Amino acid sequence: KEMGLATANVVNVGDKTSMEITLNPGFNWVESVSPLLPGCPKSCPANHFGFLKSGTMKVHYDDGTTATVNAGESYLIPPGHLPEVVGDVPCVMVEFSQSTAAVVDSMKK
């Protein structure tokens, strides 16, 4: 699935889904993803569980806090956040969250 400067490659194994998500530098969730979702939320409604293969991602939470995920780290990111690609290396994530899969599935075609 193409979402502006992001792509999500979805793989189904039985009743489970995994994804490789790439966020390229300059990616803007509000501009690229929100309009594709029901109700156009102001921040990501998915719970993310995965591993960052490359890049550095800063996560801005609705409560004003931030966290940084670096390549080689696993993460668990709750709903209510916006991702930011830090630097000019794409963030490539491998995700196993069924919540993320459900959000991608709900996107307008």
Side-chain angles (χ1 to χ4, degrees), residues 51-109:
F51 176 81
L52 187 62
K53 287 175 47 176
S54 68
T56 300
M57 179 173 53
K58 188 171 188 178
V59 182
H60 301 267
Y61 294 101
D62 288 351
D63 67 4
T65 61
T66 62
T68 300
V69 182
N70 296 297
E73 295 179 343
S74 294
Y75 55 83
L76 179 60
I77 302 170
H81 64 273
L82 293 172
E84 174 190 355
V85 177
V86 177
D88 41 354
V89 175
C91 288
V92 179
M93 302 164 277
V94 177
E95 297 223 345
F96 302 97
S97 172
Q98 302 311 294
S99 168
T100 305
V103 168
V104 170
D105 214 33
S106 75
M107 289 181 173
K108 300 171 189 167
K109 306 293 181 213

